[in-house]
PDB file of all heavy atoms in Angstrom:
ATOM      1  N   ILE A   1     295.434  38.833 185.223  1.00  0.00           N
ATOM      2  CA  ILE A   1     295.579  37.477 184.758  1.00  0.00           C
ATOM      3  C   ILE A   1     294.376  36.620 185.221  1.00  0.00           C
ATOM      4  O   ILE A   1     293.966  36.771 186.303  1.00  0.00           O
ATOM      5  CB  ILE A   1     296.926  36.882 185.265  1.00  0.00           C
ATOM      6  CG1 ILE A   1     298.058  37.632 184.688  1.00  0.00           C
ATOM      7  CG2 ILE A   1     297.007  35.402 184.948  1.00  0.00           C
ATOM      8  CD1 ILE A   1     299.412  37.155 185.307  1.00  0.00           C
ATOM      9  N   PHE A   2     293.952  35.778 184.317  1.00  0.00           N
ATOM     10  CA  PHE A   2     292.910  34.824 184.628  1.00  0.00           C
ATOM     11  C   PHE A   2     293.472  33.423 184.544  1.00  0.00           C
ATOM     12  O   PHE A   2     294.088  33.001 183.575  1.00  0.00           O
ATOM     13  CB  PHE A   2     291.727  34.955 183.644  1.00  0.00           C
ATOM     14  CG  PHE A   2     291.028  36.298 183.751  1.00  0.00           C
ATOM     15  CD1 PHE A   2     291.411  37.332 182.906  1.00  0.00           C
ATOM     16  CD2 PHE A   2     290.000  36.516 184.627  1.00  0.00           C
ATOM     17  CE1 PHE A   2     290.826  38.608 182.948  1.00  0.00           C
ATOM     18  CE2 PHE A   2     289.354  37.740 184.722  1.00  0.00           C
ATOM     19  CZ  PHE A   2     289.792  38.774 183.875  1.00  0.00           C
ATOM     20  N   GLN A   3     293.280  32.614 185.570  1.00  0.00           N
ATOM     21  CA  GLN A   3     293.785  31.309 185.660  1.00  0.00           C
ATOM     22  C   GLN A   3     292.936  30.272 184.957  1.00  0.00           C
ATOM     23  O   GLN A   3     291.692  30.353 185.033  1.00  0.00           O
ATOM     24  CB  GLN A   3     293.881  30.907 187.137  1.00  0.00           C
ATOM     25  CG  GLN A   3     294.520  29.591 187.457  1.00  0.00           C
ATOM     26  CD  GLN A   3     294.699  29.386 188.942  1.00  0.00           C
ATOM     27  OE1 GLN A   3     295.546  30.032 189.563  1.00  0.00           O
ATOM     28  NE2 GLN A   3     293.877  28.503 189.539  1.00  0.00           N
ATOM     29  N   ILE A   4     293.514  29.371 184.178  1.00  0.00           N
ATOM     30  CA  ILE A   4     292.795  28.304 183.505  1.00  0.00           C
ATOM     31  C   ILE A   4     293.384  26.970 183.873  1.00  0.00           C
ATOM     32  O   ILE A   4     294.599  26.752 183.645  1.00  0.00           O
ATOM     33  CB  ILE A   4     292.860  28.515 181.991  1.00  0.00           C
ATOM     34  CG1 ILE A   4     292.518  29.918 181.541  1.00  0.00           C
ATOM     35  CG2 ILE A   4     291.985  27.450 181.264  1.00  0.00           C
ATOM     36  CD1 ILE A   4     292.804  30.221 180.062  1.00  0.00           C
ATOM     37  N   LYS A   5     292.632  26.034 184.424  1.00  0.00           N
ATOM     38  CA  LYS A   5     293.140  24.695 184.768  1.00  0.00           C
ATOM     39  C   LYS A   5     293.512  23.982 183.495  1.00  0.00           C
ATOM     40  O   LYS A   5     292.850  24.145 182.466  1.00  0.00           O
ATOM     41  CB  LYS A   5     292.103  23.924 185.566  1.00  0.00           C
ATOM     42  CG  LYS A   5     291.789  24.550 186.929  1.00  0.00           C
ATOM     43  CD  LYS A   5     290.716  23.766 187.674  1.00  0.00           C
ATOM     44  CE  LYS A   5     290.410  24.354 189.064  1.00  0.00           C
ATOM     45  NZ  LYS A   5     289.324  23.658 189.722  1.00  0.00           N
ATOM     46  N   VAL A   6     294.550  23.145 183.600  1.00  0.00           N
ATOM     47  CA  VAL A   6     295.063  22.407 182.418  1.00  0.00           C
ATOM     48  C   VAL A   6     293.903  21.537 181.815  1.00  0.00           C
ATOM     49  O   VAL A   6     293.761  21.494 180.545  1.00  0.00           O
ATOM     50  CB  VAL A   6     296.259  21.521 182.801  1.00  0.00           C
ATOM     51  CG1 VAL A   6     296.500  20.434 181.759  1.00  0.00           C
ATOM     52  CG2 VAL A   6     297.485  22.328 183.073  1.00  0.00           C
ATOM     53  N   THR A   7     293.107  20.928 182.645  1.00  0.00           N
ATOM     54  CA  THR A   7     292.029  20.094 182.124  1.00  0.00           C
ATOM     55  C   THR A   7     290.993  20.903 181.392  1.00  0.00           C
ATOM     56  O   THR A   7     290.464  20.506 180.328  1.00  0.00           O
ATOM     57  CB  THR A   7     291.314  19.354 183.314  1.00  0.00           C
ATOM     58  OG1 THR A   7     291.027  20.333 184.329  1.00  0.00           O
ATOM     59  CG2 THR A   7     292.206  18.285 183.907  1.00  0.00           C
ATOM     60  N   ASP A   8     290.742  22.094 181.861  1.00  0.00           N
ATOM     61  CA  ASP A   8     289.773  23.015 181.119  1.00  0.00           C
ATOM     62  C   ASP A   8     290.456  23.552 179.836  1.00  0.00           C
ATOM     63  O   ASP A   8     289.698  23.746 178.843  1.00  0.00           O
ATOM     64  CB  ASP A   8     289.431  24.202 182.042  1.00  0.00           C
ATOM     65  CG  ASP A   8     288.499  23.777 183.162  1.00  0.00           C
ATOM     66  OD1 ASP A   8     287.797  22.781 183.004  1.00  0.00           O
ATOM     67  OD2 ASP A   8     288.504  24.484 184.228  1.00  0.00           O
ATOM     68  N   PHE A   9     291.765  23.772 179.841  1.00  0.00           N
ATOM     69  CA  PHE A   9     292.412  24.270 178.689  1.00  0.00           C
ATOM     70  C   PHE A   9     292.316  23.175 177.532  1.00  0.00           C
ATOM     71  O   PHE A   9     292.100  23.555 176.373  1.00  0.00           O
ATOM     72  CB  PHE A   9     293.841  24.621 178.956  1.00  0.00           C
ATOM     73  CG  PHE A   9     294.588  25.263 177.794  1.00  0.00           C
ATOM     74  CD1 PHE A   9     294.326  26.578 177.387  1.00  0.00           C
ATOM     75  CD2 PHE A   9     295.492  24.517 177.079  1.00  0.00           C
ATOM     76  CE1 PHE A   9     294.971  27.175 176.300  1.00  0.00           C
ATOM     77  CE2 PHE A   9     296.159  25.130 175.996  1.00  0.00           C
ATOM     78  CZ  PHE A   9     295.899  26.406 175.599  1.00  0.00           C
ATOM     79  N   LYS A  10     292.434  21.914 177.890  1.00  0.00           N
ATOM     80  CA  LYS A  10     292.286  20.892 176.925  1.00  0.00           C
ATOM     81  C   LYS A  10     290.934  20.876 176.278  1.00  0.00           C
ATOM     82  O   LYS A  10     290.739  20.783 175.033  1.00  0.00           O
ATOM     83  CB  LYS A  10     292.513  19.465 177.550  1.00  0.00           C
ATOM     84  CG  LYS A  10     293.947  19.223 177.962  1.00  0.00           C
ATOM     85  CD  LYS A  10     294.039  17.809 178.678  1.00  0.00           C
ATOM     86  CE  LYS A  10     295.518  17.548 179.073  1.00  0.00           C
ATOM     87  NZ  LYS A  10     295.616  16.252 179.816  1.00  0.00           N
ATOM     88  N   THR A  11     289.912  21.151 177.130  1.00  0.00           N
ATOM     89  CA  THR A  11     288.553  21.242 176.634  1.00  0.00           C
ATOM     90  C   THR A  11     288.428  22.398 175.616  1.00  0.00           C
ATOM     91  O   THR A  11     287.750  22.298 174.578  1.00  0.00           O
ATOM     92  CB  THR A  11     287.544  21.401 177.786  1.00  0.00           C
ATOM     93  OG1 THR A  11     287.657  20.307 178.717  1.00  0.00           O
ATOM     94  CG2 THR A  11     286.099  21.489 177.288  1.00  0.00           C
ATOM     95  N   ILE A  12     289.017  23.534 176.031  1.00  0.00           N
ATOM     96  CA  ILE A  12     288.924  24.695 175.173  1.00  0.00           C
ATOM     97  C   ILE A  12     289.509  24.488 173.780  1.00  0.00           C
ATOM     98  O   ILE A  12     288.863  24.811 172.771  1.00  0.00           O
ATOM     99  CB  ILE A  12     289.676  25.926 175.836  1.00  0.00           C
ATOM    100  CG1 ILE A  12     288.917  26.371 177.107  1.00  0.00           C
ATOM    101  CG2 ILE A  12     289.776  27.079 174.845  1.00  0.00           C
ATOM    102  CD1 ILE A  12     289.688  27.409 177.891  1.00  0.00           C
ATOM    103  N   ILE A  13     290.675  23.975 173.707  1.00  0.00           N
ATOM    104  CA  ILE A  13     291.312  23.798 172.388  1.00  0.00           C
ATOM    105  C   ILE A  13     290.687  22.688 171.541  1.00  0.00           C
ATOM    106  O   ILE A  13     290.772  22.714 170.297  1.00  0.00           O
ATOM    107  CB  ILE A  13     292.888  23.551 172.494  1.00  0.00           C
ATOM    108  CG1 ILE A  13     293.193  22.314 173.288  1.00  0.00           C
ATOM    109  CG2 ILE A  13     293.573  24.801 173.089  1.00  0.00           C
ATOM    110  CD1 ILE A  13     294.665  21.988 173.334  1.00  0.00           C
ATOM    111  N   GLU A  14     290.078  21.712 172.199  1.00  0.00           N
ATOM    112  CA  GLU A  14     289.344  20.720 171.499  1.00  0.00           C
ATOM    113  C   GLU A  14     288.040  21.155 170.873  1.00  0.00           C
ATOM    114  O   GLU A  14     287.570  20.646 169.838  1.00  0.00           O
ATOM    115  CB  GLU A  14     289.070  19.481 172.448  1.00  0.00           C
ATOM    116  CG  GLU A  14     290.296  18.693 172.768  1.00  0.00           C
ATOM    117  CD  GLU A  14     290.064  17.631 173.831  1.00  0.00           C
ATOM    118  OE1 GLU A  14     288.924  17.582 174.370  1.00  0.00           O
ATOM    119  OE2 GLU A  14     291.020  16.936 174.200  1.00  0.00           O
ATOM    120  N   SER A  15     287.477  22.215 171.525  1.00  0.00           N
ATOM    121  CA  SER A  15     286.199  22.718 171.096  1.00  0.00           C
ATOM    122  C   SER A  15     286.243  24.008 170.245  1.00  0.00           C
ATOM    123  O   SER A  15     285.255  24.387 169.645  1.00  0.00           O
ATOM    124  CB  SER A  15     285.283  22.935 172.305  1.00  0.00           C
ATOM    125  OG  SER A  15     285.843  23.912 173.170  1.00  0.00           O
ATOM    126  N   ASP A  16     287.414  24.686 170.293  1.00  0.00           N
ATOM    127  CA  ASP A  16     287.553  25.967 169.586  1.00  0.00           C
ATOM    128  C   ASP A  16     288.720  25.854 168.603  1.00  0.00           C
ATOM    129  O   ASP A  16     289.869  26.151 168.941  1.00  0.00           O
ATOM    130  CB  ASP A  16     287.815  27.077 170.614  1.00  0.00           C
ATOM    131  CG  ASP A  16     287.693  28.450 170.008  1.00  0.00           C
ATOM    132  OD1 ASP A  16     287.987  28.585 168.839  1.00  0.00           O
ATOM    133  OD2 ASP A  16     287.301  29.386 170.780  1.00  0.00           O
ATOM    134  N   SER A  17     288.412  25.509 167.365  1.00  0.00           N
ATOM    135  CA  SER A  17     289.500  25.277 166.370  1.00  0.00           C
ATOM    136  C   SER A  17     290.183  26.581 166.041  1.00  0.00           C
ATOM    137  O   SER A  17     291.390  26.570 165.696  1.00  0.00           O
ATOM    138  CB  SER A  17     288.872  24.658 165.126  1.00  0.00           C
ATOM    139  OG  SER A  17     287.883  25.518 164.562  1.00  0.00           O
ATOM    140  N   THR A  18     289.511  27.716 166.059  1.00  0.00           N
ATOM    141  CA  THR A  18     290.125  28.974 165.721  1.00  0.00           C
ATOM    142  C   THR A  18     291.172  29.374 166.735  1.00  0.00           C
ATOM    143  O   THR A  18     292.335  29.696 166.395  1.00  0.00           O
ATOM    144  CB  THR A  18     289.116  30.119 165.678  1.00  0.00           C
ATOM    145  OG1 THR A  18     288.136  29.829 164.707  1.00  0.00           O
ATOM    146  CG2 THR A  18     289.772  31.447 165.282  1.00  0.00           C
ATOM    147  N   LEU A  19     290.846  29.121 168.000  1.00  0.00           N
ATOM    148  CA  LEU A  19     291.797  29.465 169.081  1.00  0.00           C
ATOM    149  C   LEU A  19     292.993  28.474 169.053  1.00  0.00           C
ATOM    150  O   LEU A  19     294.141  28.901 169.201  1.00  0.00           O
ATOM    151  CB  LEU A  19     291.117  29.350 170.469  1.00  0.00           C
ATOM    152  CG  LEU A  19     292.024  29.601 171.688  1.00  0.00           C
ATOM    153  CD1 LEU A  19     292.663  31.012 171.628  1.00  0.00           C
ATOM    154  CD2 LEU A  19     291.228  29.473 172.924  1.00  0.00           C
ATOM    155  N   MET A  20     292.718  27.225 168.746  1.00  0.00           N
ATOM    156  CA  MET A  20     293.804  26.209 168.660  1.00  0.00           C
ATOM    157  C   MET A  20     294.768  26.606 167.516  1.00  0.00           C
ATOM    158  O   MET A  20     295.989  26.476 167.681  1.00  0.00           O
ATOM    159  CB  MET A  20     293.210  24.804 168.410  1.00  0.00           C
ATOM    160  CG  MET A  20     294.274  23.748 168.429  1.00  0.00           C
ATOM    161  SD  MET A  20     293.591  22.062 168.251  1.00  0.00           S
ATOM    162  CE  MET A  20     292.882  22.131 166.609  1.00  0.00           C
ATOM    163  N   THR A  21     294.251  27.050 166.357  1.00  0.00           N
ATOM    164  CA  THR A  21     295.124  27.426 165.258  1.00  0.00           C
ATOM    165  C   THR A  21     296.013  28.585 165.645  1.00  0.00           C
ATOM    166  O   THR A  21     297.239  28.620 165.355  1.00  0.00           O
ATOM    167  CB  THR A  21     294.243  27.810 164.024  1.00  0.00           C
ATOM    168  OG1 THR A  21     293.445  26.658 163.712  1.00  0.00           O
ATOM    169  CG2 THR A  21     295.062  28.232 162.846  1.00  0.00           C
ATOM    170  N   ILE A  22     295.454  29.586 166.269  1.00  0.00           N
ATOM    171  CA  ILE A  22     296.201  30.779 166.719  1.00  0.00           C
ATOM    172  C   ILE A  22     297.299  30.335 167.737  1.00  0.00           C
ATOM    173  O   ILE A  22     298.489  30.756 167.619  1.00  0.00           O
ATOM    174  CB  ILE A  22     295.299  31.839 167.320  1.00  0.00           C
ATOM    175  CG1 ILE A  22     294.431  32.439 166.228  1.00  0.00           C
ATOM    176  CG2 ILE A  22     296.097  32.917 168.037  1.00  0.00           C
ATOM    177  CD1 ILE A  22     293.331  33.360 166.754  1.00  0.00           C
ATOM    178  N   LEU A  23     296.909  29.479 168.689  1.00  0.00           N
ATOM    179  CA  LEU A  23     297.880  29.129 169.732  1.00  0.00           C
ATOM    180  C   LEU A  23     299.023  28.278 169.137  1.00  0.00           C
ATOM    181  O   LEU A  23     300.164  28.457 169.537  1.00  0.00           O
ATOM    182  CB  LEU A  23     297.150  28.309 170.822  1.00  0.00           C
ATOM    183  CG  LEU A  23     296.234  29.155 171.727  1.00  0.00           C
ATOM    184  CD1 LEU A  23     295.489  28.223 172.639  1.00  0.00           C
ATOM    185  CD2 LEU A  23     296.981  30.194 172.460  1.00  0.00           C
ATOM    186  N   PHE A  24     298.716  27.392 168.176  1.00  0.00           N
ATOM    187  CA  PHE A  24     299.748  26.576 167.528  1.00  0.00           C
ATOM    188  C   PHE A  24     300.694  27.529 166.729  1.00  0.00           C
ATOM    189  O   PHE A  24     301.942  27.284 166.792  1.00  0.00           O
ATOM    190  CB  PHE A  24     299.145  25.553 166.636  1.00  0.00           C
ATOM    191  CG  PHE A  24     298.942  24.202 167.300  1.00  0.00           C
ATOM    192  CD1 PHE A  24     297.683  23.659 167.409  1.00  0.00           C
ATOM    193  CD2 PHE A  24     299.979  23.477 167.830  1.00  0.00           C
ATOM    194  CE1 PHE A  24     297.443  22.478 168.011  1.00  0.00           C
ATOM    195  CE2 PHE A  24     299.803  22.297 168.502  1.00  0.00           C
ATOM    196  CZ  PHE A  24     298.537  21.784 168.587  1.00  0.00           C
ATOM    197  N   ALA A  25     300.178  28.492 166.034  1.00  0.00           N
ATOM    198  CA  ALA A  25     300.998  29.390 165.260  1.00  0.00           C
ATOM    199  C   ALA A  25     301.929  30.175 166.160  1.00  0.00           C
ATOM    200  O   ALA A  25     303.115  30.347 165.932  1.00  0.00           O
ATOM    201  CB  ALA A  25     300.135  30.353 164.444  1.00  0.00           C
ATOM    202  N   ASP A  26     301.361  30.659 167.325  1.00  0.00           N
ATOM    203  CA  ASP A  26     302.118  31.423 168.329  1.00  0.00           C
ATOM    204  C   ASP A  26     303.189  30.562 168.978  1.00  0.00           C
ATOM    205  O   ASP A  26     304.335  30.965 169.217  1.00  0.00           O
ATOM    206  CB  ASP A  26     301.207  31.997 169.425  1.00  0.00           C
ATOM    207  CG  ASP A  26     300.385  33.161 168.957  1.00  0.00           C
ATOM    208  OD1 ASP A  26     300.662  33.714 167.902  1.00  0.00           O
ATOM    209  OD2 ASP A  26     299.435  33.549 169.658  1.00  0.00           O
ATOM    210  N   LEU A  27     302.820  29.307 169.200  1.00  0.00           N
ATOM    211  CA  LEU A  27     303.763  28.340 169.813  1.00  0.00           C
ATOM    212  C   LEU A  27     304.997  28.052 168.937  1.00  0.00           C
ATOM    213  O   LEU A  27     306.125  28.055 169.411  1.00  0.00           O
ATOM    214  CB  LEU A  27     303.030  27.019 170.136  1.00  0.00           C
ATOM    215  CG  LEU A  27     303.908  25.944 170.779  1.00  0.00           C
ATOM    216  CD1 LEU A  27     304.384  26.357 172.129  1.00  0.00           C
ATOM    217  CD2 LEU A  27     303.111  24.623 170.899  1.00  0.00           C
ATOM    218  N   CYS A  28     304.745  27.913 167.618  1.00  0.00           N
ATOM    219  CA  CYS A  28     305.848  27.700 166.691  1.00  0.00           C
ATOM    220  C   CYS A  28     306.800  28.929 166.646  1.00  0.00           C
ATOM    221  O   CYS A  28     307.987  28.743 166.656  1.00  0.00           O
ATOM    222  CB  CYS A  28     305.297  27.447 165.269  1.00  0.00           C
ATOM    223  SG  CYS A  28     304.455  25.865 165.077  1.00  0.00           S
ATOM    224  N   LYS A  29     306.209  30.123 166.596  1.00  0.00           N
ATOM    225  CA  LYS A  29     307.062  31.374 166.696  1.00  0.00           C
ATOM    226  C   LYS A  29     307.857  31.420 167.968  1.00  0.00           C
ATOM    227  O   LYS A  29     309.038  31.780 167.972  1.00  0.00           O
ATOM    228  CB  LYS A  29     306.195  32.584 166.477  1.00  0.00           C
ATOM    229  CG  LYS A  29     305.506  32.686 165.168  1.00  0.00           C
ATOM    230  CD  LYS A  29     304.577  33.956 165.127  1.00  0.00           C
ATOM    231  CE  LYS A  29     303.799  34.034 163.836  1.00  0.00           C
ATOM    232  NZ  LYS A  29     302.803  35.111 163.848  1.00  0.00           N
ATOM    233  N   ARG A  30     307.203  31.027 169.023  1.00  0.00           N
ATOM    234  CA  ARG A  30     307.832  31.146 170.322  1.00  0.00           C
ATOM    235  C   ARG A  30     309.054  30.193 170.449  1.00  0.00           C
ATOM    236  O   ARG A  30     310.068  30.574 170.960  1.00  0.00           O
ATOM    237  CB  ARG A  30     306.785  30.836 171.382  1.00  0.00           C
ATOM    238  CG  ARG A  30     307.105  31.361 172.813  1.00  0.00           C
ATOM    239  CD  ARG A  30     305.891  31.199 173.693  1.00  0.00           C
ATOM    240  NE  ARG A  30     304.762  31.975 173.151  1.00  0.00           N
ATOM    241  CZ  ARG A  30     303.490  31.835 173.589  1.00  0.00           C
ATOM    242  NH1 ARG A  30     303.238  30.919 174.485  1.00  0.00           N
ATOM    243  NH2 ARG A  30     302.530  32.608 173.128  1.00  0.00           N
TER     244      ARG A  30
END
């Protein structure tokens, strides 16, 4: 496992639209 700080995760999803789309789709299923 790799740890990601919440503040850094916000930066990731704001800058990576592909990852954000995948995570939102997974979140809805979850």
Side-chain angles (χ1 to χ4, degrees):
I1 295 173
F2 297 91
Q3 183 174 289
I4 309 169
K5 294 179 180 177
V6 166
T7 50
D8 289 334
F9 186 73
K10 288 179 181 178
T11 303
I12 292 172
I13 60 175
E14 286 171 359
S15 61
D16 192 331
S17 58
T18 302
L19 179 58
M20 183 174 69
T21 300
I22 290 172
L23 290 176
F24 268 119
D26 287 346
L27 180 62
C28 291
K29 292 176 185 176
R30 201 169 298 166

